[in-house]
């Protein structure tokens, strides 16, 4: 039996042990609670993060679909506004057109209406209450002003339409209006096309299915932060800033970006609560709207928390049992303490195993219920989880796949690793070998995960594009014990992207072809227009009613008679009164198919008379006419000159006949005077009278000879002649004229001039006339120059120049010097230079008279060496 001291010692030892056990137990409880809270917190965060990504991906998909839907509505309204304004603004035609576009958009809009530029309603569809709705609830004029400023499509803020007393109708007509201006061809604003976007259609199509299967709620928020649509009707029209805290990203709607997070919000009747929020931008006609998916935080983590609470209660019961057992061990004795301790450890192990089993079942339940196709494989590449969504996607039930390594069957005909297999084995080279062409890459959001894309022609009975995301699962030591892989069907997105790209390429090709074709047409049109404008004739196009549709050139720009101003007017407005009867007669005949050209004499703006030839012809296969107006004034003048020339030719022939008869008579008179002078030997005044008579007879003979040469020149007798001899001989013939003026003659004849082919007598006569004219024009003791040389411009021509230092030739007389009978002398016939010109032309040469810069005049004669050439 133990002594009291020993008992006391034992009691002290037992007390110390009890205190130690109690303290240790409390420390263990605290550590277990802290560890459990930490693990639960981490699991909550992982679950919330995974759910947030899933929610963000869904919001992004809805945003793309809704954005395409709204852009489609806007494009249809814009295309409708490009139609003829006359049809759009006509109530009858607009009603049919609006009904067609309403039916075509199949519920995407509540109604569509056309307004004039003052905001008054022209037509709309459907007819029930749209007019009353707009007039009661919509400020048309402000909307019209906004459209006029913007010069393009415009989206209104959220508008409540309908009867406020009718809740269902009021909910149905919460909408935003799409407005597109209508312009005439001259860019004049004439009206507006309004379409009421059906927000309820968008919800039913994109959001309601997700809300029915999941716990999340969805909002569409405009660029001002106003909620446009929500399942809770009381939130529609409120600003997001009234519901969210200041740090919420969408409070400033201008800087919205894609993202997710956990935020405190006042959604349900002002109750502040925590929500998992995912948001993504949506671009609508230059504005940034947002798709927001909201899920109560409690709803996501509630199951996990219930599991955690159950585990805590179980752990608490276990701890109580341990404490009881510990005290029992102390009471029973140290002998049983070791055994109880061992039993406690065994029970703890079993409890932890049960806890892990529960957690596994919980996680399996979450994955199984997830809408994202998911499967999990272990280290042995055996499938341990194949959820319902995966079975629906692949067509393989979980019973066929779970427990096997045949998870490749839905995807590949031969056995090969999927991404999850390669991650389990840490085979990163295998990733490159099998998935390099599938754009495999590290995930930017999940550590250690890889993602890729692939196409399957037959997966679950359909061709699909899949997005893979596989991530490793670690144990508590950081070793990979399994791998999870999720599949996402992105077929719709890729096909839509491909369709949009193909459509964009088609539009670009068509646009390029149209631009090139337009450039070619414009180039051809401009070229043809320049050809028509370059023609001397002016072209008109008239309608059957006499209205001018086209004119090639302006009539009188100074008077405002330009082509654009004349177009659209009746041609009789531009016909002079004196020509009215003739023009009306010809126009009526043209209407009967009788096309006769006719002439008009008009007066231009300078007062000159102009002759116009008018031709009317029909334009083939139309009821229009083309009128060609030709200015034939010059032709008329030429015609008159030809007629005058013909008269002069007839007079010339008559003059030649008369001159021939006069020459015979003059020869007889001259001979008779010579005979009488010899017989009578007159002296004094009688001798003077004989000399006067002889001179006048000689003068008349010269006149008659000039007339005969001009009127009926003889053909030249061409022979080789020495030009120098001809010049010297003609100077001797003009010696009397030169001596009378006491002129000094300066000759400069080139020695290397070859012989020329000419009629020597004719050429000498021509030079003699030129010498006489130069002598008559010169002053007493003046200088006359005669030169001859080869032409500098043409080596086949010889150039003869005769210069004097007289008074020169009046400028106004230069054009008339070679005209027959033109003279400024008190005597003479005016045929001398005409005779010279005739002789030079018979030798295929040319003659020109010039005033010298200093004093006098110069005559230049160019003759070919061979007059026959």
């Amino acid at each position: 039996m133990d002594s009291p001291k020993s008992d006391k010692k034992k009691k002290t030892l037992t007390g110390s042990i009890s205190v130690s056990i109690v303290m240790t137990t409390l420390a263990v409880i605290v550590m277990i609670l802290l560890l459990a809270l930490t693990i639960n917190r981490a699991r909550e965060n992982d679950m919330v993060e995974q759910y947030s990504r899933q929610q963000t991906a869904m919001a992004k998909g809805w945003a793309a679909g809704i954005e395409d839907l709204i852009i489609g509505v806007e494009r249809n309204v814009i295309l409708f506004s490009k139609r003829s304004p006359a049809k759009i603004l006509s109530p009858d035609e607009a009603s049919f057109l609006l009904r067609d576009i309403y039916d075509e958009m199949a519920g995407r809009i509540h109604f569509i209406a056309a307004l004039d530029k003052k905001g008054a309603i022209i037509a709309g569809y459907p007819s029930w209450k749209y007019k009353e709705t707009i007039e009661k609830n919509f400020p048309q004029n402000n909307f019209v002003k906004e459209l006029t400023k913007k010069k393009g499509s415009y989206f209104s803020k959220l508008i409540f339409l309908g009867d406020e007393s009718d809740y269902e109708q009021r909910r149905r007509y919460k909408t935003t209006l799409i407005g597109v201006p209508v312009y005439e061809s001259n860019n004049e604003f004439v009206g507006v096309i309004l379409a009421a976007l059906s927000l309820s259609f968008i919800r039913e199509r994109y959001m309601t299915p997700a809300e029915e299967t999941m716990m999340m709620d969805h909002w569409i928020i405009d660029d001002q932060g106003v909620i446009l649509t929500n399942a809770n009707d009381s939130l529609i029209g409120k600003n997001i800033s009234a519901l969210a805290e200041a740090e919420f990203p969408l409070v400033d709607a201008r800087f919205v970006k894609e993202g997710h997070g956990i935020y405190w919000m006042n959604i349900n009747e002002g109750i502040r609560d925590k929500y998992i929020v995912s948001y993504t931008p949506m671009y609508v006609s230059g504005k940034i709207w947002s798709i927001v998916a909201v899920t109560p935080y409690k709803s996501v983590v509630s199951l996990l928390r219930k599991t955690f609470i159950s585990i805590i209660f179980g752990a608490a019961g276990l701890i109580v049992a341990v404490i009881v057992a510990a005290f029992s061990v102390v009471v029973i004795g140290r002998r049983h303490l070791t055994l109880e301790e061992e039993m406690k450890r065994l029970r703890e192990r079993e409890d932890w195993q049960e806890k892990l089993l529960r957690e596994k079942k919980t996680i399996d339940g979450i994955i199984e219920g997830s809408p994202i196709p998911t499967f999990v494989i272990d280290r042995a590449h055996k499938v341990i989880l194949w959820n319902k969504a995966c079975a629906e996607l692949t067509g393989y039930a979980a019973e066929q796949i779970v427990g096997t390594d045949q998870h490749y069957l839905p995807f590949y005909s031969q056995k090969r690793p999927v991404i999850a297999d390669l991650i389990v084995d840490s085979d990163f080279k295998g990733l490159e070998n099998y998935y390099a062409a599938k754009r495999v890459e590290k995930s930017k959001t999940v550590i250690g995960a890889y993602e890729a894309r692939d196409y399957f022609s037959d997966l679950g009975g359909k061709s699909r594009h899949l997005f893979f995301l596989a991530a490793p699962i670690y144990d508590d030591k950081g070793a990979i014990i399994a791998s999870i892989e999720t599949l996402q069907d992105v077929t719709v997105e890729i096909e839509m992207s491909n369709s949009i790209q193909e459509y964009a390429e088609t539009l670009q090709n068509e646009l390029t072809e149209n631009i090139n074709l337009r450039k070619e047409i414009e180039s051809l049109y401009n070229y043809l227009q320049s050809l028509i404008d370059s023609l001397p004739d002016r072209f008109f196009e008239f309608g059957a009613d006499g209205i001018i549709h086209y004119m090639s050139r302006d009539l009188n720009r100074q008077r405002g008679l330009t082509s654009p101003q004349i177009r659209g007017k009746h041609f009789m407005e531009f016909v002079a009164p004196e020509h009215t009867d003739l023009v009306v007669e010809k126009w009526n005949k043209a209407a009967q198919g009788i096309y006769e050209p006719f002439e008009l004499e008009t007066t231009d703006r300078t007062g000159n008379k102009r002759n116009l030839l008018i031709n009317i012809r029909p334009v083939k296969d139309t009821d229009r006419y083309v009128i060609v107006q030709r200015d034939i004034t010059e032709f008329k003048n030429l015609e008159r000159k030809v007629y005058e020339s013909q008269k002069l030719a007839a007079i010339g022939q008559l003059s030649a006949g008369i001159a021939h008869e006069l020459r015979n008579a003059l020869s007889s008179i001259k001979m008779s005077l010579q005979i009488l002078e010899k017989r009578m030997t007159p002296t004094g005044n009688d001798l003077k009278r004989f000399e006067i008579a002889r001179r006048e007879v000689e003068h008349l003979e010269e006149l008659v000879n000039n007339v005969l040469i001009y009127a009926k020149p003889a053909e030249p007798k061409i022979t080789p002649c020495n030009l120098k001899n001809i010049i010297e001989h003609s100077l001797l013939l003009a010696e009397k004229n030169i001596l009378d003026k006491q002129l000094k003659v300066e000759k400069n004849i080139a020695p290397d001039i070859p012989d020329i082919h000419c009629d020597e007598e004719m050429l000498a006569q021509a030079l003699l006339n030129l010498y006489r004219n130069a002598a008559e024009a010169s002053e007493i003791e003046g200088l006359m120059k005669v030169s001859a040389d080869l032409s500098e411009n043409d080596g086949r021509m010889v150039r003869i120049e005769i210069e004097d230092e007289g008074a020169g030739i009046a400028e106004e007389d230069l054009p008339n010097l070679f005209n027959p009978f033109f003279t400024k002398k008190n005597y003479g016939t005016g045929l001398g230079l005409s005779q010279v010109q005739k002789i030079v032309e018979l030798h295929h040469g040319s003659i020109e008279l010039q005033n010298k810069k200093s004093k006098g005049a110069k005559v230049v004669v160019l003759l070919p060496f061979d007059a026959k050439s």
Side-chain angles (χ1 to χ4, degrees):
M1 188 173 179
D2 294 334
S3 64
K5 187 175 181 181
S6 177
D7 291 339
K8 185 177 180 181
K9 199 172 189 179
K10 286 182 179 179
K11 289 180 180 179
T12 303
L13 179 61
T14 303
S16 299
I17 293 172
S18 299
V19 172
S20 299
I21 292 173
V22 170
M23 294 300 294
T24 303
T25 303
L26 290 175
V28 169
I29 292 172
V30 172
M31 290 178 66
I32 290 174
L33 289 175
L34 291 175
L35 179 61
L37 289 171
T38 303
I39 293 173
N40 184 70
R41 184 64 178 173
R43 291 176 60 201
E44 280 190 12
N45 290 340
D46 290 342
M47 178 176 287
V48 169
E49 180 65 23
Q50 184 177 357
Y51 186 86
S52 298
R53 289 198 194 98
Q54 177 184 347
Q55 188 172 254
T56 303
M58 296 175 69
K60 188 175 181 181
W62 297 327
I66 295 171
E67 185 176 323
D68 290 341
L69 184 146
I70 295 176
I71 290 173
V73 173
E74 180 186 7
R75 182 168 57 246
N76 284 338
V77 177
I78 291 173
L79 291 175
F80 178 74
S81 70
K82 300 297 183 182
R83 299 190 181 188
S84 170
K87 292 184 178 181
I88 296 175
L89 301 179
S90 170
D92 295 334
E93 294 193 29
S95 296
F96 289 106
L97 295 174
L98 293 173
R99 182 179 63 186
D100 290 342
I101 193 171
Y102 176 85
D103 294 340
E104 182 180 345
M105 286 192 274
R108 292 174 175 82
I109 57 175
H110 289 304
F111 63 81
I112 184 169
L115 284 67
D116 62 17
K117 63 183 180 181
K118 295 182 179 179
I121 299 172
I122 297 172
Y125 191 85
S127 58
W128 55 281
K129 285 195 175 180
Y130 79 89
K131 183 173 182 181
E132 180 181 355
T133 298
I134 294 178
E135 289 177 348
K136 285 184 176 181
N137 302 282
F138 175 59
Q140 300 98 319
N141 292 331
N142 290 338
F143 197 75
V144 171
K145 290 179 181 178
E146 290 293 334
L147 278 171
T148 306
K149 293 177 183 177
K150 198 170 185 298
K151 299 292 185 181
S153 57
Y154 178 75
F155 281 68
S156 74
K157 299 179 181 178
L158 183 67
I159 295 176
F160 292 83
L161 301 178
D163 188 355
E164 295 187 3
S165 62
D166 187 346
Y167 173 77
E168 289 300 326
Q169 187 175 7
R170 176 175 172 80
R171 181 175 183 179
R172 183 178 183 183
Y173 284 99
K174 290 177 180 177
T175 183
T176 181
L177 295 179
I178 303 174
V180 177
V182 180
Y183 294 95
E184 286 282 7
S185 58
N186 60 358
N187 291 328
E188 180 185 356
F189 174 75
V190 295
V192 176
I193 303 300
L194 290 181
L197 185 64
S198 177
L199 300 176
S200 59
F201 177 86
I202 293 174
R203 279 197 57 78
E204 291 170 3
R205 181 168 181 175
Y206 292 98
M207 300 174 180
T208 302
E211 292 173 352
E212 292 175 351
T213 58
M214 302 180 71
M215 297 173 288
M216 66 178 70
D217 191 13
H218 306 87
W219 305 339
I220 297 178
I221 300 175
D222 66 9
D223 60 329
Q224 302 298 320
V226 176
I227 299 174
L228 301 180
T229 178
N230 183 260
N232 185 353
D233 193 59
S234 63
L235 297 180
I236 299 177
K238 290 186 177 181
N239 196 287
I240 190 66
S241 60
L243 306 177
E245 301 291 342
E247 67 272 9
F248 187 65
L250 298 182
V251 170
D252 188 351
R254 294 172 299 173
F255 301 102
V256 65
K257 295 181 179 179
E258 179 182 325
H260 58 265
I262 301 172
Y263 303 98
W264 290 92
M265 304 182 74
N266 301 315
I267 295 178
N268 295 323
E269 299 179 356
I271 299 174
R272 187 172 179 268
D273 205 350
K274 188 190 294 187
Y275 292 87
I276 300 174
V277 182
S278 297
Y279 47 88
T280 186
M282 181 172 63
Y283 300 94
V284 178
S285 187
K287 298 180 178 180
I288 302 178
W289 290 9
S290 303
I291 300 296
V292 181
V294 180
T295 304
Y297 186 88
K298 294 178 182 178
S299 301
V300 176
V301 300
S302 59
L303 181 60
L304 189 61
R305 286 184 174 178
K306 290 177 182 178
T307 304
F308 174 71
I309 292 171
S310 299
I311 293 172
I312 292 297
F313 277 117
L318 181 61
I319 291 169
V320 170
V322 170
I323 294 172
V324 172
F327 279 102
S328 298
V329 169
V330 172
V331 174
I332 295 172
R334 294 178 64 183
R335 186 174 58 86
H336 298 96
L337 183 61
T338 304
L339 181 60
E340 291 296 331
E341 292 261 346
E342 186 66 25
M343 292 298 293
K344 185 176 104 171
R345 284 196 295 270
L346 289 175
R347 283 194 295 271
E348 286 180 352
R349 182 180 298 173
E350 290 176 358
D351 290 340
W352 278 107
Q353 288 177 348
E354 184 179 355
K355 173 186 173 184
L356 290 174
L357 182 60
R358 286 180 187 147
E359 288 182 354
K360 179 179 180 301
K361 289 182 179 179
T362 301
I363 294 173
D364 289 349
I366 293 173
I367 295 176
E368 180 66 26
S370 173
I372 299 176
T374 307
F375 67 90
V376 181
I377 63 173
D378 60 13
R379 285 288 301 172
H381 302 279
K382 301 292 185 181
V383 178
I384 59 176
L385 182 64
W386 186 272
N387 74 350
K388 184 177 179 181
C390 192
E392 292 176 353
L393 176 70
T394 62
Y396 283 79
E399 293 79 6
Q400 297 174 272
I401 303 297
V402 173
T404 72
D405 60 354
Q406 297 182 346
H407 47 281
Y408 67 89
L409 282 177
F411 311 106
Y412 308 107
S413 59
Q414 296 179 350
K415 187 173 184 179
R416 52 160 286 180
V418 299
I419 298 180
D421 293 311
L422 298 171
I423 288 179
V424 165
D425 295 336
S426 298
D427 186 2
F428 302 111
K429 290 185 178 179
L431 285 172
E432 291 294 329
N433 294 335
Y434 286 103
Y435 289 96
K438 314 300 182 183
R439 294 183 291 174
V440 64
E441 60 181 357
K442 283 188 175 181
S443 174
K444 298 178 181 179
T445 55
V446 182
I447 298 175
Y450 284 83
E451 57 187 38
R453 295 174 182 267
D454 202 354
Y455 169 75
F456 300 94
S457 59
D458 185 10
L459 180 63
K462 296 181 180 180
S463 61
R464 302 177 190 268
H465 292 268
L466 293 187
F467 172 77
F468 304 96
L469 177 65
I473 299 175
Y474 301 95
D475 61 9
D476 56 349
K477 297 180 181 179
I480 298 176
I481 59 173
S483 179
I484 182 171
E485 184 168 340
T486 61
L487 314 172
Q488 186 174 351
D489 188 350
V490 293
T491 305
V492 175
E493 291 84 349
I494 291 178
E495 289 179 351
M496 186 177 296
S497 176
N498 294 337
S499 298
I500 291 173
Q501 185 175 357
E502 291 175 2
Y503 182 64
E505 290 175 357
T506 302
L507 287 180
Q508 182 63 40
N509 293 335
E510 291 179 357
L511 179 61
T512 302
E513 291 176 2
N514 289 337
I515 291 173
N516 293 334
L517 180 60
R518 180 176 179 179
K519 289 181 179 178
E520 291 176 4
I521 292 174
E522 288 179 351
S523 176
L524 179 60
Y525 174 80
N526 293 333
Y527 176 71
L528 293 176
Q529 186 64 42
S530 64
L531 284 179
I532 292 174
D533 290 343
S534 300
L535 293 174
D537 299 339
R538 182 178 280 110
F539 293 85
F540 298 85
E541 184 192 29
F542 292 175
D545 53 0
I547 298 300
I548 300 173
H549 297 287
Y550 173 77
M551 182 177 72
S552 61
R553 287 183 288 114
D554 297 338
L555 284 174
N556 190 335
R557 186 175 294 273
Q558 295 178 349
R559 292 171 53 197
L561 299 179
T562 60
S563 180
Q565 291 174 324
I566 288 178
R567 199 175 300 145
K569 296 183 179 180
H570 199 280
F571 74 92
M572 287 303 295
E573 296 182 30
F574 307 99
V575 177
E578 61 270 20
H579 301 313
T580 300
D581 294 339
L582 175 61
V583 173
V584 170
E585 177 188 351
K586 296 298 182 181
W587 178 254
N588 291 335
K589 285 186 177 182
Q592 299 170 8
I594 303 172
Y595 308 105
E596 297 177 348
F598 59 95
E599 296 181 11
L600 297 176
E601 185 178 273
T602 63
T603 303
D604 61 15
R605 61 177 179 271
T606 61
N608 296 323
K609 296 289 186 179
R610 310 300 295 178
N611 297 94
L612 303 178
L613 176 63
I614 310 298
N615 273 292
I616 304 177
R617 286 293 183 273
V619 179
K620 189 176 181 181
D621 298 330
T622 68
D623 61 346
R624 298 189 177 187
Y625 299 90
V626 62
I627 287 82
V628 181
Q629 174 187 298
R630 176 171 296 176
D631 190 340
I632 58 172
T633 304
E634 298 300 327
F635 293 103
K636 284 291 184 179
N637 293 337
L638 184 60
E639 185 180 61
R640 284 191 287 270
K641 288 180 179 179
V642 170
Y643 179 68
E644 293 295 331
S645 298
Q646 291 174 347
K647 290 198 299 181
L648 287 175
I651 293 173
Q653 293 294 331
L654 178 61
S655 301
I658 295 173
H660 182 72
E661 295 299 326
L662 286 175
R663 185 170 62 176
N664 293 336
L666 288 172
S667 297
S668 299
I669 293 171
K670 183 177 180 183
M671 187 179 297
S672 298
L673 286 173
Q674 291 175 351
I675 294 171
L676 286 175
E677 184 179 0
K678 289 180 180 180
R679 288 181 180 179
M680 297 176 64
T681 61
T683 60
N685 290 332
D686 292 335
L687 180 59
K688 290 180 180 179
R689 292 188 181 94
F690 269 102
E691 291 177 353
I692 291 170
R694 186 174 62 252
R695 284 198 302 271
E696 292 300 325
V697 168
E698 291 175 354
H699 176 68
L700 288 173
E701 277 185 332
E702 182 183 0
L703 176 60
V704 169
N705 286 334
N706 289 338
V707 170
L708 285 173
I709 291 172
Y710 178 77
K712 193 175 183 181
E715 287 296 323
K717 298 175 182 180
I718 305 301
T719 58
C721 302
N722 186 289
L723 182 60
K724 182 177 180 181
N725 294 338
I726 296 174
I727 293 174
E728 295 285 356
H729 176 65
S730 57
L731 279 172
L732 289 175
L733 295 176
E735 183 177 7
K736 182 178 183 302
N737 303 83
I738 294 172
L739 292 176
D740 288 344
K741 286 293 184 77
Q742 303 175 18
L743 298 177
K744 179 182 178 182
V745 178
E746 182 180 300
K747 293 182 290 184
N748 185 13
I749 302 172
D752 56 346
I753 296 178
D755 291 346
I756 66 173
H757 291 73
C758 64
D759 187 317
E760 185 174 356
E761 291 184 4
M762 281 189 175
L763 187 54
Q765 180 63 44
L767 293 176
L768 175 60
N769 286 345
L770 294 176
Y771 296 152
R772 287 176 177 173
N773 285 344
E776 291 171 356
S778 297
E779 298 178 356
I780 301 297
E781 298 181 352
L783 175 64
M784 182 171 68
K785 296 180 181 180
V786 180
S787 62
D789 201 350
L790 296 177
S791 173
E792 296 178 357
N793 297 328
D794 190 348
R796 297 174 301 172
M797 305 286 286
V798 63
R799 180 184 180 94
I800 303 171
E801 294 184 1
I802 301 170
E803 301 181 41
D804 63 64
E805 294 182 346
I809 305 169
E811 291 295 329
E812 64 271 14
D813 293 338
L814 282 173
N816 303 313
L817 289 177
F818 294 106
N819 291 340
F821 309 109
F822 178 79
T823 181
K824 287 295 186 74
K825 301 176 184 178
N826 294 328
Y827 61 92
T829 62
L831 292 173
L833 288 177
S834 299
Q835 179 184 351
V836 173
Q837 185 184 43
K838 183 72 70 175
I839 292 171
V840 172
E841 288 176 351
L842 288 172
H843 286 78
H844 304 290
S846 64
I847 182 171
E848 181 182 4
L849 279 89
Q850 304 172 357
N851 276 324
K852 295 198 300 182
K853 292 183 179 179
S854 56
K855 186 179 181 182
K858 177 169 69 173
V859 180
V860 179
V861 178
L862 290 174
L863 294 172
F865 292 124
D866 188 355
K868 297 179 181 179
S869 61

